[in-house]
Amino acid sequence: MKLDPNNRVNRVRSKLLPLPRPKPLSSGWKGAITAVFACALLLILFQSYYMIGGQGPLRYVIGSVVAIVFFVLAAGVVALGLHLLKKLPTLYIWAVVASAGMMLFCFIVPTVSLIMIAATITIVSLLGSMLWKWRKKEYLGMARRGIIFRVLWAGLLTVTLISGTFWYLGSGSDPLSPAYRLNEMKKAPRYSTQLPDPSKPGAYAVKTLTYGSPDNYREVFRQSGSLTTQPVDGSAFVSGWSSIRTGTLGFGPEKMPLNGLVWYPEGQGPFPVVMAVHGNHTMTDYSDPGYEYLGKLLASRGYIFISIDENFLNTSPYDDMFIFQVPVKENPARAWLMLEHLKVWKQWNEDRSNPFYGRADLNNVALIGHSRGGEAITLAALFNGQKAYSENALIKFNYNFGIRSLIAIGGTDGQFKPSGTTVNLHNINYLTLQGVHDMDVSSYDTTNQYKRITFDPGTAWMKSSVYIYGANHGQFNSVWGRTDGAGLANRLFNTKQLISEDMQQRTAKGFISAFLEATLKENTTYRQVFQDLGYAKSWLPDNLYISNYMDARTRLLAGYNEDTDPSTATLAGGELLGEHLKEWKEETVQLKFASSEYRAVRIGWDQAASGGKLPVYSLRLPNEGVKPQEGSSLVFSIANLEDHPVNLTVQVTDRSGHEASLLLSEWSPVVPMVEGRFLKAPFDLMSPVKEPVFQNYGLALDDFKQANRDFDPAGLKEIRFKFDQSKKGTILMNDIGLRSK
């Protein structure tokens, strides 16, 4: 039905909503449409009968109609878009496609980029069209109402464009103040004893030095006084190295330099060696100086600290021909280079003419890796114990350095899998630090590596993870700073919510220095920091932290990774029971953007729905019991899946039936799921903002005995988690065990 052009309503409608009128179809096209649509209807009716026919005629009809209507409407939208596209000039389509491609290169954030690009192109196109017509005086002679309409429309578009520009240039919304800060959470008298602050400078005077090849591509490594190293052939560990990259650097993968910045203590030593490696960043914006804050601190406390140069493995849009030829699988090269650096240090340590003769303790080495470097250190630890390269056994290894500790900062995991498998490490200390507001490695990926590290029982190895509120990816490195993205894309991030660089680096110094004290210098009192952060509250910045811990002195009773039966424990003969629970199942833990490699038990409860019966989750030990050693602690890890804190009662029973109970809040309640909204509103909800992060607890069995003098810790028979303090909630729990003193 045609619109009457003399009708005022139809004239306005045609201006605001110019719907296309399809041309009359020939009989051939009518037959084609009828045949293809009839075929599709017949197929979907059969498919609907197969999928929902068993639920009765009414549901079959409703379901079939809904499916047909959905597809018809969706196809109508697509057809309308294609029809309108045909009406556009070819040059305009060309300009839009080219512009969209260039904008996509500028705003490399999925989904958000597409919305911004579509909105920008639409608004700018309409404004450009109006301004051009105005410049050409095409509006002269137009009725006043038409001119007013176009002026208002142009004004609205201009205001929208200006508002969007202010939004884009801003730093985001006001930061959220974490409600569960360390000093607020840890008020118990047990925390009155505080450990000395390991982030304060030590007693040693700090000296600096550089080393590298004489024909170095960077002047700092060939300055007067630098020690000399020879390049190494890394061509077997990386491919995709472009000739342009070789031209820029002056070398190819067969001549990778061994460059390092060194901070070291004045003294004879020998001193433990700490080697740090950066991750991926712009190749020519050198990342290795960004760990000077760690170098100065650790050197003053008696470590040789080396920040090595691997910038030549990093991204360089020009040298990579704008991503058309990028280095492939370069993570093994990052790892292998660390070992080649240590080989040089071994030579220096044995050379009487070298200033580091006898001063480096290569049986006491820690590797620190940031971002991709956080994965590279695990590969380096793996290669260190192998006789050949897993991807090419013709390449022989003979390193065997004393790498005792690994520290991953915002680390990646699984980007490279040797022989197609994950990196499984045994008997090594491991610490992982992750910012809640990491805008690059946004999922806590290194919790997978944390779970894969195993220990021989009764040894001294330990591992820990720490989740830090307000920390981003970049501020752990002074060169990278507050922006975790590439160029213009950084403006899409809500950087206003971040803690300061000084606070983030003080946090890193505290945890890293404490971990090295505990693992390289064997100052075991600093294990307490990772077992319970309350013992560090006087010197850690007052912030929200969620930490997990496990060591070789822990006997695992229920780890949830050995089978799919929710009633069986890891300990042979152990039994898991649930009473009056709303949910009870074992599942793979879901991170923000991926599934993890580990499992936990999901427990949900609702006191109101349980009819007044107390929800309980229990671990019943075998009849012979486990006979905990004197001074042992009951340990477990919990991740809250709710937006409110959770408290509960932990009850233990001995073989004589004596019971003792403690409230979890005496250590700290389980904090709510922490939000990390790293995009600006309104896009902040378009990507995941939460993930389960486990908080470890260690409740001394002696504390239970103080609660009930009749309770016998050596006769422990049952552990019960009673959900009596919070009316409802959902948690994940894993790693229930007993830790000896």
Side-chain angles (χ1 to χ4, degrees), residues 571-590:
L571 178 69
E575 185 180 6
L576 297 165
L577 306 98
E579 306 169 53
H580 316 301
L581 298 172
K582 183 180 178 181
E583 282 187 280
W584 174 26
K585 64 177 180 178
E586 295 180 11
E587 64 183 26
T588 300
V589 176
Q590 298 296 312

Side-chain angles (χ1 to χ4, degrees), residues 42 103 111 115 251 274 320 370 385 409 431 442 457 485 554 586 602 613 629 658 662 665 677 689 703 707:
L42 185 63
M103 291 180 185
T111 307
I115 295 173
F251 60 87
V274 180
D320 296 337
H370 188 182
I409 304 172
L431 171 65
S442 300
T554 300
E586 295 180 11
R602 174 188 283 257
K613 296 178 180 179
Q629 298 179 18
H658 299 124
L662 294 172
S665 56
R677 298 176 183 265
V689 297
D703 288 342

Side-chain angles (χ1 to χ4, degrees), residues 217-218 221 241 245 249 251 257 259 261 277-289 307-316 327 334 337 477 479-480:
Y217 78 115
R218 290 174 60 187
F221 297 117
W241 190 291
R245 180 179 285 263
L249 295 170
F251 60 87
N259 299 332
L261 304 173
V277 62
H278 57 81
N280 193 36
H281 191 63
T282 306
M283 184 177 78
T284 50
D285 187 21
Y286 304 128
S287 300
D288 45 299
S307 180
I308 67 173
D309 166 30
E310 294 189 355
N311 293 278
F312 47 84
L313 293 172
N314 283 355
T315 297
S316 178
R334 296 177 188 270
L337 281 168
N477 182 302
V479 174
W480 296 2

Side-chain angles (χ1 to χ4, degrees), residues 59-79:
R59 292 195 173 188
Y60 168 67
V61 172
I62 292 174
S64 300
V65 170
V66 168
I68 292 168
V69 169
F70 169 78
F71 286 115
V72 169
L73 291 177
V77 172
V78 173

Side-chain angles (χ1 to χ4, degrees), residues 141-452:
M142 181 179 289
R144 180 180 297 177
R145 285 176 298 181
I147 294 176
I148 293 173
F149 172 78
R150 282 162 176 77
V151 169
L152 292 175
W153 185 231
L156 178 61
L157 291 172
T158 302
V159 169
T160 303
L161 186 62
I162 292 173
S163 300
T165 302
F166 273 103
W167 173 89
Y168 171 74
L169 294 175
S171 57
S173 57
D174 289 335
L176 297 173
S177 178
Y180 300 92
R181 295 179 181 271
L182 186 59
N183 283 303
E184 181 66 25
M185 297 289 288
K186 303 290 185 178
K187 291 184 175 180
R190 66 172 62 85
Y191 303 121
S192 58
T193 302
Q194 293 286 294
L195 295 171
D197 184 355
S199 64
K200 287 186 175 179
Y204 291 94
V206 177
K207 304 183 76 174
T208 61
L209 189 119
T210 63
Y211 63 85
S213 55
D215 56 347
N216 217 284
Y217 78 115
R218 290 174 60 187
E219 183 179 355
V220 65
F221 297 117
R222 49 184 165 84
Q223 63 183 325
S224 175
S226 286
L227 298 181
T228 300
T229 59
Q230 297 302 316
V232 291
D233 184 358
S235 55
F237 299 92
V238 62
S239 58
W241 190 291
S242 71
S243 58
I244 302 177
R245 180 179 285 263
T246 298
T248 299
L249 295 170
F251 60 87
E254 73 285 348
K255 290 189 67 176
M256 292 184 183
L258 298 177
N259 299 332
L261 304 173
V262 186
W263 291 264
Y264 63 100
E266 188 172 23
Q268 292 304 309
F271 301 107
V273 174
V274 180
M275 183 173 289
V277 62
H278 57 81
N280 193 36
H281 191 63
T282 306
M283 184 177 78
T284 50
D285 187 21
Y286 304 128
S287 300
D288 45 299
Y291 306 109
E292 181 181 18
Y293 72 98
L294 284 175
K296 288 182 175 179
L297 170 71
L298 295 178
S300 76
R301 298 183 68 87
Y303 303 89
I304 296 175
F305 182 89
I306 311 142
S307 180
I308 67 173
D309 166 30
E310 294 189 355
N311 293 278
F312 47 84
L313 293 172
N314 283 355
T315 297
S316 178
Y318 182 86
D319 298 290
D320 296 337
M321 292 186 283
F322 291 93
I323 76 170
F324 286 105
Q325 187 173 352
V326 298
V328 179
K329 291 185 177 180
E330 91 293 347
N331 264 13
R334 296 177 188 270
W336 171 76
L337 281 168
M338 300 188 83
L339 298 173
E340 289 295 301
H341 277 267
L342 288 175
K343 186 194 290 187
V344 169
W345 278 86
K346 183 176 186 295
Q347 295 168 359
W348 290 346
N349 208 43
E350 297 170 352
D351 182 357
R352 290 181 178 274
S353 65
N354 191 280
F356 288 106
Y357 170 70
R359 300 174 73 179
D361 183 359
L362 294 173
N363 291 316
N364 215 10
V365 176
L367 304 180
I368 300 176
H370 188 182
S371 195
R372 291 191 191 183
E375 183 172 346
I377 61 173
T378 63
L379 290 170
L382 182 72
F383 296 165
N384 185 57
Q386 293 184 172
K387 294 183 179 180
Y389 182 33
S390 52
E391 301 294 296
N392 183 355
L394 297 176
I395 300 173
K396 304 301 180 183
F397 291 156
N398 185 26
Y399 295 113
N400 300 308
F401 298 111
I403 300 175
R404 296 178 51 81
S405 300
L406 303 176
I407 301 173
I409 304 172
T412 61
D413 181 70
Q415 289 189 349
F416 175 76
K417 296 183 177 181
S419 299
T421 63
T422 55
V423 177
N424 298 286
L425 300 177
H426 186 64
N427 285 350
I428 196 164
N429 300 299
Y430 186 70
L431 171 65
T432 168
L433 304 178
Q434 177 76 16
V436 174
H437 299 87
D438 191 314
M439 297 168 276
D440 185 353
V441 183
S442 300
S443 291
Y444 201 168
D445 293 340
T446 46
T447 55
N448 289 314
Q449 183 63 73
Y450 170 92
K451 294 294 289 187
R452 292 197 303 266

